[in-house]
Amino acid sequence: KTVIETDESPKEADALPGVVASQTGGEPFALPADKTMVIQVHEPITIAQLAPLLGVKPFHLIGELMNNGAFMSTSDTLSKEQVENMASRWGYTVHFLST
């Protein structure tokens, strides 16, 4: 379940300012246009898990990965670098949560 949070959100005390999506669960919030968009993810993360956090369909991520020479399916796990590149492509910054 995707969580949308902003720095005004009291839902999670440990959330980063400007957090847009997280794998932690909760209720969605709208992000003001002037805020930095950050996603919080745990490793490992698959294409199928990352896509909704970025607000895109998995095939968009697969297409971008193919353009970069990586042939993957929705159940494949992504490296930190791949996650950061995909997030950056759609305007997000990634914060990796410790397990």
Side-chain angles (χ1 to χ4, degrees), residues 1-2 4 6-7 9 16 21 23 44 51 55 58-59 63-65 67 69 74 85 88 98:
K1 187 172 179 182
T2 301
I4 307 295
T6 68
D7 53 354
S9 172
L16 295 177
Q23 291 177 293
F59 75 86
E64 189 66 24
L65 288 162
N67 288 338
T74 57
N85 289 341
S88 175
S98 58

Side-chain angles (χ1 to χ4, degrees), residues 36-97:
T36 301
M37 298 188 302
V38 176
I39 58 171
Q40 294 181 335
V41 299
H42 291 282
E43 285 188 283
I45 186 167
T46 65
I47 293 170
Q49 293 169 324
L50 181 61
L53 297 177
L54 299 176
V56 299
K57 300 284 185 187
F59 75 86
H60 287 103
L61 297 182
I62 291 170
E64 189 66 24
L65 288 162
M66 288 177 72
N67 288 338
N68 293 321
F71 294 89
M72 303 176 81
S73 68
T74 57
S75 61
D76 288 331
T77 58
L78 298 164
S79 69
K80 271 188 171 182
E81 182 181 346
Q82 288 170 321
V83 172
E84 289 169 341
N85 289 341
M86 293 297 101
S88 175
R89 165 75 172 83
W90 277 274
Y92 292 86
T93 301
V94 180
H95 174 70
F96 292 95
L97 300 171

Side-chain angles (χ1 to χ4, degrees), residues 5-17:
E5 297 185 8
T6 68
D7 53 354
E8 291 86 17
S9 172
K11 292 288 183 183
E12 299 218 8
D14 60 333
L16 295 177

